[in-house]
Amino acid sequence: MQDARTVFDTLNTEYLAVHKTKEDLFWDTYMAVSNDDAGFARAEEAYKNFISDPARLAAVRGALASLGDTDDADEATAALRHGLKGWLALFESNIIDSDAARTLMAELIKLESDLFAKRRDLVLRHTNEAGQVEDATLSMLSTNMGSNPNEEARKSSHDALMQLEHWVLANGLLDIVKKRNAFARAQGFPNYFDYKVQKNERMSADQLFAILDDFEVRTRAANTRALDDLTAAHGAKATQPWNLRFFVSGDVTRQFDPYLSFAKGLERWLQSFRKLGIAYRGATMQLDLLERKGKYQNGFCHGPIPTFYDAKNQWVAGQINFTADAKPDQIGSGARAINTLFHEGGHAAHFANVTQNSPCFSQEFAPTSMAYAETQSMFCDSLLDDADWLKRYAHNAQGEPIPDELIHARIKTTQPFAAFGERGILVVPYFERALYRLSDAELTPDGVLALARATELRILGVAVGPRPLLAIPHLLNQESAAAYHGYLLANMAVYQTRAYFERTYGFLTDNPAIGPALAQHYWARGNSISHNDTLLSLTGEPFNAKYLADSCNQTVDEAWAEAQAKMAAASTRHYPPATAPDLDATIRIVHGAELIADNSDSDQAMCQQFERWVGQRYPATVQ
């Protein structure tokens, strides 16, 4: 018993050290606070070596064997066995069984680190709404295509994304794909895509595509109908990749902007989550929300200190970082920022509430399913589209709530393209699976670009996607590569979860029962149970894609009737009080190395500090 306990406690202690070192360097390099790319690569390799160490796997197996196979009434032994099984799952998910594969992994980390360093220095440019040519992040490019009334300016943003596609193909992505495939083959898999699906989602690629193919068929007609109707209404130019976002939402995005200011986003996130009964169990959180040269151009949430109860049964609260890439003076940036706050804040709530006896249960990598992790964040950001949430939180500078007719206008504009939006996720795994099935000889820039365009045409129905496939940053990093399907699987689970809460309580916005229910059924056990089992625990039914497909296939009239019913019910509802005065977190808002605001005095003071800072930098944006 003592030897097994020593193995377990040593793993917990050593993992915390190697994980935090890696994550601290990850944050500093990705936030452009440090250019110590070599140091991060060493830390990343040390972390990979830890989680793929055959000697540690053998020690865990030996420790489990020493405890015997029989269940007993000894609570301490049962808890120890549970914790060791968590480590067993982690090592078996990440183990590299051969010296050749370990060498390939080290080479792969070096290739990715080199590409990231070069990508950080790449400057993309477009024409903004003022007609000025400016440096632009991926977020700025996307927002400009959705809101800029000038077609040539929108096209400049898409041209920048097409430039990025050619850049990644010329600067190492193809060598990385080849190396990933070699790494997968060294472990007995036909290619890297099959390897990642099995390791991350615990299913085969064929099982995954049985689900994806079903969803593709269910939403195909709605997607085709939306594109045909758009062409009939606005002409063929509307389906050009730089025009699609604008014709789907551009004018509505502009009209929404005064009601979703960037500076108020922090306050609205804190209030909404608190009223949902979400708490962070004493976590320390660091948020970096604005664009900055050299900063990683995609939101993410990582936890340098995973939560758990230690050997003395004392709570180890989380240390959690998350980021956005907003430009407050750009139309639509407020909506994008609050979406990131809800999304990444949902991730943070999940990882802050895993209450097991080891950090291996509360981290975002395998054996944690990406689909399971994204379910938590995407459920939270789904609330932002609800009419009753908008009426309660989306107010202009005069304190006036967003008008019903504007909510109706957005539904009229976006609902026909709900299927297109989900298929914008679906297109990625279809492309990546085909990409990793190519031979090394077939992995040429022209061949891969042709594959990307053919996949976009087949799944999206347009010649080029508004977000070209090779401009998606997830493809460049091995943690997120060949895993994008997790977002679609998660959204299927989100709509299943929403349906359960609506059946049970009748409403979602500001429902204080939701946070505790998520904490109990989805968060507390971390990766010790499967994604499907979390759904069974809360909703009583296994994974079901029907709810999302049904939502995508709603007509405008059906979606508007649902929104009207939500607003009518909300107008007479007596909302239960929030379960706590704050989120139970220490929060720091930073801009690189600069501290903008914190809640050492209060959440309210932090929000006021943040608004003042934004107002000083971007005077026209503060409401």
Side-chain angles (χ1 to χ4, degrees), residues 387 404 411 557 559-570:
D404 290 9
I411 290 173
D557 288 344
W560 173 234
E562 185 178 292
Q564 286 179 301
K566 285 182 178 179
M567 289 188 290

Side-chain angles (χ1 to χ4, degrees), residues 64-72 81 85:
L64 279 168
S66 73
L67 298 179
D69 296 328
T70 58
D71 292 330
D72 50 53
R81 182 183 289 110
K85 284 183 177 179

Side-chain angles (χ1 to χ4, degrees), residues 273-491:
F273 269 42
R274 182 175 62 85
K275 291 177 181 178
L276 287 168
I278 291 174
Y280 288 87
R281 296 181 64 96
T284 298
M285 298 166 60
Q286 182 169 230
L287 285 61
D288 190 319
L289 301 175
L290 285 83
E291 60 86 21
R292 187 171 58 255
K293 185 175 182 180
K295 178 182 171 182
Y296 185 62
Q297 296 180 19
N298 203 57
F300 65 79
C301 173
H302 281 212
I305 299 180
T307 61
F308 72 111
Y309 283 100
D310 66 15
K312 297 178 180 178
N313 203 35
Q314 294 178 336
W315 177 244
V316 177
Q319 178 189 327
I320 302 168
N321 299 324
F322 69 82
T323 179
D325 194 35
K327 190 173 188 295
D329 57 354
Q330 186 179 32
I331 295 293
S333 65
R336 289 181 65 86
I338 198 164
N339 183 276
T340 300
L341 283 164
F342 272 57
H343 184 95
E344 306 303 344
H347 277 310
H350 166 201
F351 290 114
N353 280 276
V354 179
T355 55
Q356 302 302 294
N357 62 348
S358 170
C360 68
F361 296 110
S362 181
Q363 45 82 34
E364 61 267 33
F365 310 121
T368 301
S369 155
M370 179 177 174
Y372 160 62
E374 293 301 331
T375 294
Q376 322 313 320
S377 56
M378 293 170 71
F379 172 82
C380 292
D381 71 45
S382 76
L383 301 174
L384 298 171
D385 291 325
D386 290 345
D388 54 340
W389 188 92
L390 289 166
K391 294 298 286 189
R392 283 179 70 78
Y393 287 97
H395 295 176
N396 64 15
Q398 290 73 45
E400 299 164 337
I402 193 165
D404 290 9
E405 55 268 25
L406 188 50
I407 295 174
H408 186 206
R410 185 165 80 162
I411 290 173
K412 284 179 65 177
T413 305
T414 60
Q415 179 58 36
F417 278 86
F420 184 88
E422 297 303 327
R423 291 169 76 91
I425 303 174
L426 183 67
V427 69
V428 180
Y430 277 99
F431 169 68
E432 284 196 286
R433 189 188 201 193
L435 174 69
Y436 287 102
R437 284 179 162 182
L438 295 177
S439 68
D440 285 0
E442 294 172 313
L443 282 166
T444 65
D446 288 345
V448 170
L449 281 172
L451 175 63
R453 301 293 86 87
T455 310
E456 288 164 338
L457 182 61
R458 181 164 68 91
I459 302 300
L460 297 179
V462 294
V464 184
R467 182 186 57 169
L469 278 163
L470 289 158
I472 298 174
H474 297 68
L475 275 62
L476 306 185
N477 183 284
Q478 65 175 294
E479 302 298 351
S480 51
Y484 208 79
H485 48 268
Y487 291 111
L488 185 57
L489 295 178
N491 223 13

Side-chain angles (χ1 to χ4, degrees), residues 3 180 228 312 437 516 542:
D3 288 342
R180 287 172 180 167
D228 289 345
K312 297 178 180 178
R437 284 179 162 182

